[in-house]
Amino acid sequence: MENVPPHMPPPQGPPGPGVPPPAEELVLLDRELVQLDARRAQLLARRAWLVSVLTAPAAPAAPFPGWQAPPAAGPARDASGPSAQNVLLTLGAVLLTIAAFAFTVVSWGSMGIGGRAAVLGVVTAAALAAPVALLRRGLRSTAESVAGLGLALTVLDAYALYAVALPGKDGTAYAAGAAAVLAALWTGYGLALGALRLPVPVALVTAQLPLPLGAVAAGAPAPVVGWALLGTAALDAAVALWWRDRFVRVLAVVAGVATGGWALLGALWLSLAAGDPAAAVAPGALLLGGAVLALAVAFRVPEPGAVPLAGLAGAAAVAALGGVPRAVLPDGWGVLPYLVCAVPLLLFARVAGLRAGVRRGLAGAGAGVAVLGALSALPAVLLALALPVEVWGGVWAGRVPVPADARLPGMHAAPVVLLAVAGMAWPWLRRRAEAGVAVVVLVWAGLFTASAVLPPAQPVVLGSQVLLTALAVGYALRADGPVAGALGRSVAAGACAVAGAASASVLSLAGKPGTFAVLGAFLVLFAAAAFAGRGPVWARSAAAVLSVGYATGLLLALGRALGLPAHTTALLVLAVPVAVALAAVTPAARPVRVPFEVAGAGAGALAVALALPDLPVLALVLALLGVVCAGTAVRADRRPVGYAAGALFLLAAWVRLAASGVTVPEAYTLPVTVPALVVGLLRRRRDPGAGSWTAYGPGLAATLVPSLVAAWGDAHWLRPLLLGVAALVVTLLGARYKLRAPLLLGGAVLALDALHELAPYVVQVADALPRWMPPALAGVLLLAVGATYERRLRDARRVREALGRMK
């Protein structure tokens, strides 16, 4: 096609030699036309770029279409223009202020009084007048800096005036007057030049000084100084409420909180330190004034700010009204006036006419006073609970602790305070879950503390504490009202019951009759709560566990009373797991069966611990526990307990053999092993699904384990050899028939037996090796294991799967 002359049609007719067929030639033509169109578009784009370059010669040449030159590089800026300007202006103003101060203090004496006044007056007037011209030119930052210099110069003017004209006057009084004048001047100056933001805040800060300094200068008493602070806080509140500038309002809030807070804290301190009602009147009046101010502001601020202000007002009012009667009451009783004054605050929460924030704040103040009152009685409650600890020093020796009221003055007032706080929370019992919890705890703590005021270790004290525990248990079993509230009250009552029972139980150890009476009463109480009561499952379960504990304690006390040694007392304690096993089958025990039986197992473990010093008794205890477990395993839902029974029987047999000094245990174990293995084989034939541990485990362990223990203490070679051969045979049979119990038992005994035989040689080799060799070998082993960790993990998984497939 390239040889065809222009303006000539292509050849027509049948294709000649070398010319493709028409279909293929059409495809080639279409493809070449597409390439020509793409090339034409590229050339047109290049032409447009060249035209733009020629028409704009100042533009830099672009290496390719669409390229844009980066902006010209200039000097880097570390700070923006305005920020750098503010820094410079501030530094300049500070330097000028320092220079003026140095001139005033250092060079003042070299000039006459006229020169002094002229210099400071001219400089101050110039500094205060310059911002006017600067603001007209739009230089606001410069005007702020110069105005700050002028404000500092007015302070120097005041100092210079005092140093020259009034050197002998009271400096505090002059400072109060100067602060008032400067605050007024700066406020007027700031209002006149509305564009300046510095003068008014500085005037507000300075305005905090005149009234307190004036009161101090006049030698006023502390309440008057507090009134001065409170008056200053009132001015701050007015500024915060009605000033337009937001920064000034925030600063006024901070200043008001500071001055008002100091006034109220000082008044509270004076009220608490007052020794008579007359001395408490003045600080009480100050507290009332603060309450009125805070409440007035609370009605005018937005809702979030009204809550803390109303709470502060309520707390101040309670402190004011309760401080006067407190001064005449003895120790411990002074809390009651505050609680009485706090009761109306709780009622404000139901007054519909008040703002919601004010209602919440007042009610919160009342609740806070109640909480503080309860905390003031906490030491008395802790003393009442911990008082019986002294009895541990002489169980049944008639030793009683020192009465609580002799230890803590005002102990008699604590129950009254706790019950009063509970009465304050009572109206909220149905509305708030935490109020119900508080009422339960406070009532119980008040009554329990009241019982501790009586002479300790007396029947009246123990009887009252047992009765309180019974009431707490009964309340814990109740489940009425809202679910959340009922659960909280139930948990609180249960905790109180446990604490009271523990304290009364320890206190009862002072005498033998009291011990049996209290432990027996608690046994009956918790058993009845667990099996005869209705209530939450958790409460009944806890009662079942406690009943087992008190039954165990009662039997231990019986053994001590009979003068029995510890290993003989263990036989008495065995009555607890026997009773648990018998009671657990009753329908009443179904909800609490698991924790009840676990507690019984704990009693059995205690019996074993008590019997450890005497091996024959220990064997008997283990055998009896095995009987209990075997009887429990009869139940369909407790079949696995049969394993524990078998283990206990084996342990009993080994302990009995050790106690009898038997050196050839195989003579006693083999007659048991052979029939046990025969029974296991017969069971496996009748029940192919039975596991090897059930069929062969007890029989094999009956001989292998005692023989292994004997082999480790045998210095001859015959027993270890025979045991190793037997263990090897058992292991091979387990591997051959894929039985887990023979494989694992035989392998473990074989390995331990071999270790026993190799132990002397290992010790010799270890002594011959250098000290650094064992750590090095251990490090190499760890590296090898770490490098092949994944493969070892797969191997272990395969072993586990193989064992899982065995019977």
Side-chain angles (χ1 to χ4, degrees), residues 738 740 798 800-807:
K738 294 183 174 57
R740 190 184 306 170
R798 293 193 193 98
R800 187 187 64 185
E801 294 173 353
L803 290 176
R805 290 192 295 268
M806 293 182 178
K807 294 292 186 181

Side-chain angles (χ1 to χ4, degrees), residues 650 654 657 665-666 669 700-711 719:
L650 289 176
W654 301 337
L657 293 175
E666 292 83 3
T669 58
L700 292 174
T703 295
L704 291 177
V705 176
S707 297
L708 178 64
V709 174
R719 176 181 279 115

Side-chain angles (χ1 to χ4, degrees), residues 149-492:
L149 174 62
L151 299 179
L153 288 175
T154 56
V155 177
L156 294 177
D157 289 337
Y159 167 75
L161 179 61
Y162 174 75
V164 174
L166 305 169
K169 300 296 180 181
D170 185 9
T172 305
Y174 179 79
V181 173
L182 290 177
L185 290 177
W186 291 347
T187 302
Y189 183 71
L191 292 176
L193 301 178
L196 296 180
R197 302 189 60 184
L198 183 62
V200 175
V202 174
L204 179 63
V205 174
T206 308
Q208 310 302 309
L209 303 177
L211 290 179
L213 289 180
V216 173
V224 177
V225 177
W227 278 108
L229 289 170
L230 192 62
T232 305
L235 295 177
D236 294 329
V239 173
L241 289 175
W242 291 296
W243 203 268
R244 293 183 179 180
D245 186 78
R246 185 174 182 273
F247 178 74
V248 176
R249 293 202 309 270
V250 173
L251 187 61
V253 170
V254 175
V257 170
T259 55
W262 275 112
L264 294 180
L265 287 176
L268 180 62
W269 175 265
L270 293 174
S271 178
L272 294 176
D276 55 82
V281 171
L286 180 57
L287 288 169
L288 278 179
V292 172
L293 175 62
L295 190 61
V297 177
F299 278 102
R300 291 172 173 81
V301 297
E303 194 70 22
V307 177
L309 285 171
L312 178 62
V318 169
L321 298 176
V324 176
R326 182 211 60 82
V328 299
L329 294 176
D331 292 337
W333 297 93
V335 181
L336 293 177
Y338 296 108
L339 295 177
V340 173
C341 296
V343 172
L345 297 180
L346 295 174
L347 301 179
F348 276 113
R350 301 186 180 183
V351 178
L354 293 177
R355 294 179 58 187
V358 175
R359 290 203 311 269
R360 289 201 301 270
L362 293 176
V369 172
V371 171
L372 292 177
L375 291 178
S376 69
L378 182 60
V381 178
L382 296 179
L383 178 62
L385 287 172
L387 200 63
V389 174
E390 294 183 359
V391 178
W392 282 113
V395 176
W396 292 355
R399 178 180 179 180
V400 296
V402 179
D405 54 348
R407 296 172 177 267
L408 184 65
M411 183 77 178
H412 293 80
V416 181
V417 171
L418 293 169
L419 294 177
V421 177
M424 295 174 64
W426 186 270
W428 303 85
L429 187 63
R430 295 291 180 179
R431 300 180 61 180
R432 301 185 67 90
E434 55 270 22
V437 174
V439 168
V440 171
V441 175
L442 290 170
V443 170
W444 177 86
L447 296 177
F448 192 87
T449 307
S451 68
V453 177
L454 301 174
Q458 297 297 321
V460 177
V461 177
L462 293 176
S464 61
Q465 293 184 354
V466 171
L467 179 60
L468 284 175
T469 304
L471 293 175
V473 170
Y475 194 83
L477 295 176
R478 294 184 57 188
D480 56 349
V483 176
L487 178 60
R489 294 193 298 270
S490 181
V491 172

Side-chain angles (χ1 to χ4, degrees), residues 30-50:
D30 291 339
R31 188 179 302 167
E32 192 168 354
L33 288 173
V34 170
Q35 295 176 356
L36 290 174
D37 291 339
R39 179 61 177 165
R40 186 174 185 275
Q42 184 179 4
L43 293 175
L44 289 174
R46 179 67 177 175
R47 180 180 182 279
W49 179 78
L50 292 173

